Amino acid sequence: MANLLTLLVIVAAGYWVMLIISRKKRELSEKELYQKEQFLKDTQSILKTESPSYNKPSAPIQPNTSSPDSLYCTTVEQSFQKQGFTITDSVKADGIDFIGLKDKELLLIRCENRLKEITISDLKTFIADCAVYIDKNPIFEGRSSMRIYATNCPITEEAQEFIRNNPSTLRLFTED
């Protein structure tokens, strides 16, 4: 009789533990879903409320023009072409100046040389623009993507720290 009672207590304890584990898993998945939704809302609000830190070009960048903007963009484009990337000829999305492809790699490049200084909000806006672009273009799924922020403008200390702390999210390309 004692063995049967012990077995019953062990089974009840096991059932109770399984209930707790399943409840915790459900709570965790609900929390992850909430965080994903919150991230999307935050990203959308940044895109809607923040004025862009760039001037949207009305025409594709022409390498033969002599303006400082196009010369810098041409320098950036040629640098990545030397590394073996095929670079687009024109702007494909807001906030992204060039898109580069090489094997299974995708480069999303922003050229900025018109701002007084680069701030963390400029960098986050670019990251959000890249995320939206990749989401809208499923053809790029399965490619490893790199976000490159190319600039010859001064960068705020806060922005430099953000880049140092997030090397897998964003890389900086500066003129040497």
Side-chain angles (χ1 to χ4, degrees):
M1 183 70 176
N3 288 340
L4 186 59
L5 187 57
T6 305
L7 181 62
L8 186 59
V9 169
I10 291 173
V11 168
Y15 180 73
W16 181 64
V17 168
M18 293 302 290
L19 282 176
I20 291 173
I21 290 173
S22 66
R23 185 183 71 207
K24 291 294 182 183
K25 282 183 180 179
R26 187 175 54 249
E27 289 174 359
L28 182 62
S29 66
E30 289 171 359
K31 185 176 180 180
E32 287 176 350
L33 180 62
Y34 173 76
Q35 288 177 343
K36 285 180 185 177
E37 289 173 354
Q38 190 64 35
F39 174 75
L40 288 174
K41 287 178 186 177
D42 292 345
T43 303
Q44 289 173 348
S45 70
I46 287 172
L47 291 174
K48 289 179 184 176
T49 59
E50 228 177 70
S51 61
S53 63
Y54 54 88
N55 296 328
K56 183 178 176 185
S58 58
I61 297 169
Q62 301 295 325
N64 295 335
T65 58
S66 60
S67 73
D69 292 347
S70 63
L71 288 176
Y72 182 70
C73 289
T74 302
T75 303
V76 171
E77 179 181 11
Q78 290 172 352
S79 174
F80 286 105
Q81 284 175 337
K82 287 178 185 174
Q83 295 177 29
F85 286 93
T86 303
I87 305 294
T88 58
D89 294 335
S90 63
V91 176
K92 298 292 182 191
D94 290 343
I96 301 172
D97 291 321
F98 295 114
I99 297 170
L101 297 171
K102 175 179 158 184
D103 300 326
K104 292 282 185 181
E105 293 181 66
L106 169 68
L107 280 184
L108 301 168
I109 306 169
R110 170 80 183 123
C111 292
E112 183 59 71
N113 64 345
R114 290 167 253 163
L115 295 176
K116 184 177 179 181
E117 66 181 2
I118 306 300
T119 65
I120 194 168
S121 66
D122 297 326
L123 300 176
K124 288 182 177 180
T125 300
F126 173 62
I127 291 170
D129 289 341
C130 292
V132 169
Y133 182 78
I134 291 172
D135 286 345
K136 287 184 178 180
N137 294 285
I139 192 168
F140 296 123
E141 240 177 66
R143 291 184 183 265
S144 63
S145 62
M146 287 190 293
R147 296 174 194 93
I148 309 292
Y149 201 94
T151 186
N152 58 1
C153 301
I155 302 170
T156 64
E157 194 63 39
E158 182 182 52
Q160 289 177 2
E161 184 178 339
F162 178 79
I163 293 168
R164 278 192 302 271
N165 292 336
N166 300 290
S168 62
T169 303
L170 182 67
R171 294 187 183 162
L172 186 65
F173 177 89
T174 55
E175 231 176 4
D176 293 333

